Amino acid sequence: MKNSEFVDRDLKTVWHPCSQMKDHEFLPMIPIKSGKGVYLQDFEGNRYLDAISSWWVNLFGHSNEYINSKVSEQLETLEHVILAGFTHEGAVRLSERILKIAPQGLSKVFFADNGSSGVEVALKMSFHYHKNRGETRPYFISLKNSYHGETLGALAVGDVELYKDTYSEMLMKTIQVPVPEDQKEESIWEPIQELEVLLEKRSHEISGIILEPLVQCAGSMHMYHWRYLIEVKRVTEKFGIHLIADEVATGFGRTGKMFALNHAEISPDFMILSKGLTGGYLPLSLVLTTDRVYREFYCDYTLQKSFLHSHSYTGNALACSAANATLDIFENENILNSLSEKMKFMKRELEKFQKLPNVKEVRQTGMIGAIELQGYKWEDRIGLEVYKYGLENGVLLRPLGHIVYFMPPLSITIPEMEKMISVAFGGISKLIQ
Ligand SMILES: *Cc1c(COP(=O)(O)O)cnc(C)c1O
């Protein structure tokens, strides 16, 4: 089959996410037939190095033999079972293992099935906790430029105009505080001060603060210093509000440690995990919380005090098997140690971009690298040019506006990184001519 036959059928029926469908009058849709390692392959044999881990989910390559075998095994025994009143081995094992590696103090796991629903769970649970204690605290704080997903609650705590503005009238009210403007340690103090001033006045009506630790991924890969997290932790304790860590994108080794919070060695009241959790195989999310929160819901049955949130596919057994297999790989292959050479390589390579006249800044946190371009207008759609250049040269880059970034599977090799980065360099250099 040719790519084009498949694309015709696709465009007649499928409405794609995060897309202006009319773009596909000139922008080729790429139908993928198979994937292996960091490569995706279309119906005509063209290969694309997946530099964005298929939207930040893939950790150990496509069609990973080990994960395949574990999901197949699970398929032979149990595909799914209701998680209310029932349980299964995969969910229990995953909970035990996640709590073992999670920041101290987290001791209970609530299941959901994607990042946004995990965020919704954490927000509702935090609000409900305070309510169970006799306090109504309808507000949440989040950081400027943050992204927490696109269901209405998650969108309401986010702050990326592109996704939020259209729906602003229908969203719950939230409060945004400044995020440190760069990765320098001294940049954290003003934002911390502003947070404290806000809480002095309003902490009684605020349930918690939600943030993406270290990297605001969808927010143009904006990065800040880990010290900020330590200070936020201090402030949340001082004022008695929850700290909700959205590690949906930053979790599972992306920042060079298992979780971004590990850089600051702090524990949140809630931690949300998804994306890399299943190695990029199946939708699943977890919301981890403390005994303190759990106990506030634990009592003789009354409707008001129980947490009745649920999704049909909560704790899906196949997804749990993929997640357990992913944790196996982290353990068996000593993945976190294997990253340091790759992170050093990326750092060296990123410096080369700094010399280009259309590059404003390069930044990196662990295995995430970003190149911010300058001198273009939004309407120039400069990212699209880099995207097209990447595809022509066998690399899937998907710039966020004028930010070209790398978030490859952790299993990428140095030669593969070299290709990924040199194609990005070519695409950005070509814009100058
Ligand atoms: C992707 C993302 C989400 C939303 O996850 P979905 O599975 O896409 O709903 C939430 N928070 C962060 C930080 C993310 O990057």
Side-chain angles (χ1 to χ4, degrees), residues 56 114-116 147-149 212 246 248-249 275:
W56 321 343
N114 63 72
S116 304
Y147 177 90
H148 298 288
E212 300 154 272
D246 178 352
V248 169
K275 290 202 168 113

Side-chain angles (χ1 to χ4, degrees), residues 55-57 113-119 146-151 154 210-213 215-218 246-250 272 274-275 283-285 407:
W55 256 346
W56 321 343
V57 297
D113 53 16
N114 63 72
S116 304
S117 67
V119 168
S146 60
Y147 177 90
H148 298 288
E150 290 172 54
T151 54
I210 181 167
L211 53 76
E212 300 154 272
V215 190
Q216 295 185 313
C217 295
D246 178 352
E247 291 243 19
V248 169
T250 52
I272 308 152
S274 189
K275 290 202 168 113
L284 184 71
S285 60
M407 202 193 288

